[in-house]
Amino acid sequence: MWLELEDEARDIVAKALHGGLRLDAQRLTAIEHGHWHPHTLIPPGITRYTQHSQPLSNGYFFLSPDQSEAAVVDPAGDATAIGTHIEAAGRPLRYICITHRHNDHADAAAALLARYPQAQILMHAAEAAARNDLPALGAGIIDQQRIAFGNGTIEIIVTPGHTDGSSCFYFGDVIFVGDTLFAGSIGRNFGPMTTAFEQLANIRTRILSLPATTTILPGHGPATTVALEKAHNPFFSNED
């Protein structure tokens, strides 16, 4: 996170300190000086690719447990490039999962939907309302909703903070978190209806409460795990 998004990460810390959020100085120093890096592997069956949007972001492609259906998370940049992963897998695209409304995570969604009209967009209504390039989604996804995906499910975990409708997608032992949480940091709070304090509370209760081995796949920077964030993230120094 610090190497790949140094300016943004420093800005997050500056705003956190100014806003009265408590940070663990020892953990912060270790990350800033490159003494800690998660080195977490992407689990088999999930492809992470760097999207040529600005700023650079992570997109993900994965198959259902029985490999009968495909899904993408946070499509941005070039829809044709994203389509290469879908075509290579040779499975129908069932879902376009969008964690939040920002262009570097969603600006290829409309083009991808036009290319794969059978796909369904999974996005919180608060986020969809901010994008006029996507069809109306009605109520959108809701917290704790379980969505059928082949012979498995994708669970929705809503974590307001980075944006008011920021949502995570929990699949097996992996959670796609968008910009809610990064390795060793958190996403900036854009609100306007939620605060950074609420974001931290949502991360604690909704993400860091998952099994310790759960792999966290963020919208920027490297993968991490629940255990590593509890042990090293300076925003969460008192997590059990």
Side-chain angles (χ1 to χ4, degrees):
M1 172 64 188
W2 290 95
L3 295 177
E4 297 177 50
L5 290 174
E6 182 173 341
D7 291 340
E8 180 174 340
R10 290 179 186 277
D11 183 56
I12 292 168
V13 170
K15 289 185 177 182
L17 294 173
H18 180 73
L21 300 181
R22 299 180 63 182
L23 292 169
D24 186 297
Q26 185 174 0
R27 292 184 177 191
L28 182 61
T29 299
I31 294 171
E32 188 169 14
H33 291 280
H35 298 154
W36 178 75
H37 190 284
H39 298 295
T40 301
L41 297 177
I42 304 295
I46 297 175
T47 300
R48 179 181 66 186
Y49 50 91
T50 300
Q51 306 185 125
H52 297 291
S53 54
Q54 291 299 325
L56 296 178
S57 60
N58 295 330
Y60 299 95
F61 171 80
F62 63 106
L63 297 176
S64 60
D66 61 1
Q67 300 190 341
S68 65
E69 298 177 326
V72 296
V73 178
D74 284 356
D78 185 355
T80 300
I82 299 170
T84 60
H85 299 282
I86 301 168
E87 302 303 327
R91 298 293 184 272
L93 180 64
R94 179 74 183 276
Y95 298 118
I96 300 172
C97 308
I98 302 176
T99 62
H100 63 292
R101 64 181 179 264
H102 291 155
N103 279 339
D104 58 325
H105 298 269
D107 68 0
L112 204 60
L113 185 62
R115 183 169 177 169
Y116 304 99
Q118 79 282 356
Q120 178 183 351
I121 292 180
L122 302 182
M123 189 178 189
H124 195 281
E127 303 302 291
R131 300 203 63 90
N132 58 17
D133 59 337
L134 297 176
L137 299 182
I141 55 177
I142 59 175
D143 189 41
Q144 297 184 322
Q145 181 179 2
R146 291 181 178 271
I147 298 171
F149 184 44
N151 65 341
T153 60
I154 299 172
E155 181 179 352
I156 307 302
I157 299 179
V158 180
T159 53
H162 178 64
T163 59
D164 293 331
S166 283
S167 303
C168 304
F169 298 92
Y170 187 31
F171 172 70
D173 57 357
V174 170
I175 185 166
F176 302 92
V177 298
D179 289 1
T180 293
L181 175 66
F182 300 128
S185 189
I186 64 171
R188 285 179 288 183
N189 170 252
F190 286 94
M193 302 300 293
T194 50
T195 68
F197 292 99
E198 291 173 296
Q199 180 177 345
L200 290 172
N202 286 327
I203 293 170
R204 285 191 179 95
T205 60
R206 312 308 311 282
I207 299 176
L208 298 187
S209 61
L210 296 174
T213 56
T214 302
T215 299
I216 297 171
L217 298 178
H220 301 274
T224 183
T225 68
V226 167
L228 288 173
E229 292 311 297
K230 286 183 174 182
H232 298 281
N233 194 309
F235 287 89
F236 306 100
S237 60
N238 296 311
E239 305 303 309
D240 295 327

